[in-house]
Amino acid sequence: MRMFGTNEKYNLIRCSFARSGSNTFISEDFYKLGQLQIGNNWTGTWLSLTDFLFDMKLTVNGAPVKYSYFADEASVKLEACCAEVEVALTDRSHFRIRGENAGLRLELRSASGKGAACCRGLYALADGSGWEGEFGSYGKLFFKAISGNYNVTTIFDEDKNEYALVRIDFLPDAETGEFEAAVHDYRDHLLPFGEYEDFDELVESNRREFEEFAGIYRDPAPGYEEMTRYAQWVVWSHRTKAIGYFQEPHILYQNAWTCTAAPWQQSYNAMAMLNDPEEAWRLICVMFLYQDERTGRLPGMMSYNNPPMSGHQCAFQSFAADYLFRKLGDGFITGAQAERMYPKMAAWADYWLTYHNAGFGDDVIVVYGPGDSGWDDSSQFRDGFPAVDPCANAFLVLLMETIAKLAEKSFSYTEKSAEWADRAKKLCDVIINEYWDGEKFVTKVNGKPVDSLGLSDFQPIMLGKRLPQHIIDKVAEKMVAEDQWLTHIGLASENMQSENQTFGVSFVLGRVVGPQNMIISVGLQAAGKQKEADIVARRFCDHVSREGIILGYAPYNYYKHNGEKAKQQRPPIQADAWPWSPWTANSFLTMVTGVISKG
């Protein structure tokens, strides 16, 4: 089982096969290795819970046979001896299938064990063009044989009042041994599709579109070319079109698990798109389409089928914008864009300053839960909430500066620029003077410092040269001290000597995670510490190149502080450490194209 001509670390267990603009994904069953499944991400339902999965079985003479698969950016091929089936996705609400000396069986199987219960009906259309299936919240499918034959088999359980079996067999022509088919995926009614293009042309157009997308990234540092290409594909294959609740294209967190778009994710993805600053800026701004007009809050996440949800995340847009400004200047933002975005970003800042104000008579903010900061289980929050998190406040500093820049470039808000810049400087001074203890930035609860050994205590290094040199030097020293936070695979999210450290079901309480390594390395570079930024970024990106693009890695199989065997997740499971995600892909891309020295 191979992808992109490489070996087992790139397989469809770890990352589903998908395509930009398609709701369909193909993955390998976690528990029946070698069994591919096809589904869609309309509902945002996790792969382990969805009732909408079709087993994909290669058939020869009508009987299933074992097969291997090969996937690249354009299609997936199922192969057995001289038999082959190829599947190519499109961005036009359908996918295509062709076979030679083989057929393809699609058999509905629920991950929750309910069989084909999600099917509400399957029937032949009156015009003889094909069969249509109704699958409730998962939408509809239209099955059409372009050439060759097909057979539909259903069993309805009268006692349970549900389908016990739904099976579609696409079969080769008896004379040619070949077939072609199309499966349309839609919500309300079958969209006009006209004539189907030649299959080979479809495959090549998929390849061309990916190559065009890859052009928005700069070349990586030498040695990272292979993984860069894969990371680019991961981002591209998670890109939506404007459909459902998405007013513009977004990038999903995952296709088969957390099938949602979140504000942070869009900005993370934007940072690496240095060859297309207009698209990068669009992604930074896209979640403002759903801003709460009353409070200024941005939604926490959304999916095709679910409207923008409550909850929120820190103003990561500002960190992404600051990175773009430092790399490219601000010439890509027009006066009209500044005019449009100034009131939106000002309202976003006012949300934090109004609803999260710490009550100290200044602009210091608090977080009321770990989700407010993005660092779900960090030890910085061990004393509870509300907590003054220097990292969240650092994001706010950068947001105020971004707002000041937008005001300066706008037509109507120019006089506001100095005010926002001044507030940013004052808040930065507060962070430096009141939340730096000489060794790290400290989170405070009820005015008392939290005794934490979390990596997030150093993330205000994102402020770069706004910080005094003695703080920059100390953070740089800490980040490259062996066996503290720095491991052979990058920075651990909790100090190696911490009793709180765990490599189990956690996010930032020990594992080495992409976002934090990216934030720290970008911050070190911004602060003038290129050598230290290189050390951090290279160690993490080298490990990604060896092991693949998962969100969190266990640096050791034991805990350094006591020598005990480490608690680890046993993959594959649905937690965030296992499936591949653009969250790590874009962190990797930012580091290899913009942080790591290319000399």
Side-chain angles (χ1 to χ4, degrees):
M1 291 160 286
R2 303 170 293 152
M3 293 189 70
F4 285 81
T6 53
N7 297 314
E8 280 296 310
K9 65 179 177 178
Y10 310 124
N11 58 41
L12 293 179
I13 298 175
R14 287 194 158 189
C15 185
S16 60
F17 177 84
R19 183 207 189 281
S20 176
S22 173
N23 286 94
T24 301
F25 66 83
I26 298 173
S27 62
E28 184 176 349
D29 191 309
F30 275 8
Y31 306 110
K32 292 184 178 181
L33 299 185
Q35 175 67 70
L36 292 185
Q37 299 172 304
I38 193 164
N40 70 30
N41 53 28
W42 277 111
T43 65
T45 306
W46 284 31
L47 184 63
S48 60
L49 302 175
T50 180
D51 288 330
F52 187 79
L53 281 174
F54 285 85
D55 285 339
M56 301 175 67
K57 300 180 180 180
L58 185 73
T59 61
V60 175
N61 297 322
V65 298
K66 290 184 178 181
Y67 59 84
S68 59
Y69 66 78
F70 174 83
D72 63 12
E73 60 269 34
S75 66
V76 177
K77 293 180 180 179
L78 287 61
E79 301 171 341
C81 298
C82 297
E84 178 181 286
V85 166
E86 185 173 10
V87 181
L89 307 181
T90 77
D91 61 356
R92 301 183 302 282
S93 299
H94 71 272
F95 59 92
R96 296 274 300 282
I97 313 166
R98 69 176 172 185
E100 184 175 359
N101 301 321
L104 181 67
R105 174 173 295 172
L106 300 177
E107 188 170 314
L108 188 60
R109 176 166 66 88
S110 166
S112 64
K114 296 180 180 178
C118 79
C119 185
R120 301 292 185 265
L122 189 66
Y123 45 86
L125 297 188
D127 62 5
S129 57
W131 283 65
E132 183 176 69
E134 165 68 56
F135 300 93
S137 61
Y138 299 99
K140 298 180 180 180
L141 292 180
F142 171 64
F143 303 93
K144 179 178 178 62
I146 300 173
S147 65
N149 304 292
Y150 67 102
N151 182 54
V152 177
T153 304
T154 63
I155 298 176
F156 191 80
D157 188 324
E158 298 286 352
D159 294 332
K160 293 183 178 180
N161 195 34
E162 63 185 35
Y163 283 91
L165 175 69
V166 171
R167 176 188 295 162
I168 297 91
D169 278 291
F170 292 107
L171 304 169
D173 182 271
E175 294 185 5
T176 66
E178 299 175 351
F179 80 89
E180 279 202 31
V183 179
H184 291 253
D185 178 4
Y186 50 98
R187 305 299 292 169
D188 300 313
H189 57 86
L190 181 61
L191 302 175
F193 52 86
E195 294 184 3
Y196 296 109
E197 71 266 57
D198 177 78
F199 198 98
D200 288 325
E201 290 180 2
L202 169 59
V203 171
E204 287 308 309
S205 68
N206 285 349
R207 206 180 308 280
R208 285 195 304 271
E209 185 171 322
F210 169 67
E211 294 296 343
E212 291 173 3
F213 176 82
I216 70 179
Y217 298 99
R218 290 182 175 177
D219 291 338
Y224 298 102
E225 292 83 1
E226 179 188 356
M227 182 52 76
T228 292
R229 182 172 179 80
Y230 202 99
Q232 291 167 346
W233 180 82
V234 170
V235 176
W236 177 75
S237 66
H238 287 71
R239 191 173 186 269
T240 79
K241 55 187 175 184
I243 192 171
Y245 281 104
F246 293 139
Q247 296 182 33
E248 292 183 6
H250 293 58
I251 296 173
L252 297 177
Y253 179 61
Q254 290 163 338
N255 269 311
W257 293 101
T258 311
C259 314
T260 56
W264 277 38
Q265 305 305 318
Q266 312 315 305
S267 297
Y268 272 96
N269 281 288
M271 292 177 66
M273 298 178 176
L274 296 178
N275 281 355
D276 192 349
E278 289 78 14
E279 173 63 8
W281 180 245
R282 186 193 70 80
L283 276 175
I284 288 172
C285 299
V286 71
M287 278 293 178
F288 287 90
L289 293 170
Y290 320 104
Q291 188 171 29
D292 187 317
E293 294 182 1
R294 182 179 61 86
T295 66
R297 179 184 58 81
L298 298 187
M301 61 182 62
M302 60 187 298
S303 69
Y304 288 100
N305 205 40
N306 295 294
M309 304 171 194
S310 61
H312 62 283
Q313 300 163 341
C314 275
F316 195 90
Q317 299 83 8
S318 60
F319 175 70
D322 183 66
Y323 180 78
L324 293 183
F325 296 153
R326 194 165 59 254
K327 294 291 185 181
L328 304 172
D330 61 8
F332 59 88
I333 299 178
T334 66
Q337 289 171 332
E339 186 78 6
R340 180 177 71 89
M341 287 307 301
Y342 169 84
K344 293 178 177 291
M345 287 203 177
W348 181 217
D350 284 338
Y351 165 79
W352 283 99
L353 295 165
T354 300
Y355 296 96
H356 285 257
N357 195 280
F360 301 153
D362 54 21
D363 287 336
V364 175
I365 59 171
V366 297
V367 295
Y368 292 108
D372 292 351
S373 75
W375 313 118
D376 298 3
D377 47 17
S378 173
S379 60
Q380 72 182 112
F381 300 129
R382 61 186 301 179
D383 292 347
F385 302 94
V388 178
D389 170 18
C391 181
N393 280 276
F395 282 126
L396 184 57
V397 169
L398 298 181
L399 179 60
M400 290 175 171
E401 288 193 359
T402 301
I403 294 167
K405 189 178 292 290
L406 291 174
E408 184 179 2
K409 294 175 71 70
S410 72
F411 310 127
S412 307
Y413 306 102
T414 308
E415 74 284 356
K416 297 289 188 179
S417 180
E419 176 187 340
W420 282 107
D422 183 57
R423 292 175 74 174
K425 176 64 168 59
K426 289 179 178 178
L427 181 56
C428 186
D429 288 343
V430 170
I431 295 173
I432 293 167
N433 296 327
E434 298 185 25
Y435 294 89
W436 173 258
D437 71 355
E439 296 291 326
K440 62 183 179 181
F441 292 96
V442 294
T443 297
K444 293 184 179 181
V445 176
N446 294 324
K448 297 179 180 180
V450 177
D451 183 16
S452 166
L453 288 173
L455 182 62
S456 49
D457 294 330
F458 298 94
Q459 286 176 161
I461 191 63
M462 71 176 75
L463 295 172
K465 293 183 178 180
R466 301 169 185 83
L467 300 172
Q469 193 62 44
H470 72 275
I471 292 181
I472 292 172
D473 291 342
K474 178 60 72 172
V475 172
E477 174 190 335
K478 294 273 188 178
M479 294 299 93
V480 295
E482 299 288 349
D483 293 330
Q484 292 297 311
W485 287 272
L486 186 65
T487 76
H488 62 295
I489 66 171
L491 291 169
S493 51
E494 181 78 5
N495 190 289
M496 292 291 103
Q497 309 308 318
S498 171
E499 295 181 358
N500 295 315
Q501 187 178 66
T502 177
F503 305 145
V505 183
S506 68
F507 174 33
V508 288
L509 198 56
R511 290 187 303 179
V512 177
V513 298
Q516 285 193 319
N517 278 263
M518 185 271 286
I519 291 171
I520 295 290
S521 62
V522 165
L524 289 169
Q525 183 186 63
K529 294 291 185 178
Q530 183 61 48
K531 177 182 177 181
E532 291 81 355
D534 269 340
I535 291 172
V536 171
R538 281 189 180 277
R539 290 201 185 184
F540 180 79
C541 293
D542 287 350
H543 191 65
V544 171
S545 296
R546 291 189 296 266
E547 297 296 329
I549 308 172
I550 61 175
L551 182 55
Y553 308 86
Y556 306 104
N557 60 8
Y558 67 97
Y559 295 125
K560 287 231 169 183
H561 68 276
N562 60 13
E564 292 182 2
K565 184 177 181 181
K567 296 177 181 178
Q568 295 190 48
Q569 298 183 91
R570 293 187 60 195
I573 64 174
Q574 65 266 34
D576 62 3
W578 180 247
W580 292 28
S581 165
W583 203 353
T584 294
N586 55 50
S587 295
F588 172 88
L589 288 168
T590 294
M591 286 185 272
V592 298
T593 62
V595 176
I596 296 174
S597 300
K598 297 182 180 180

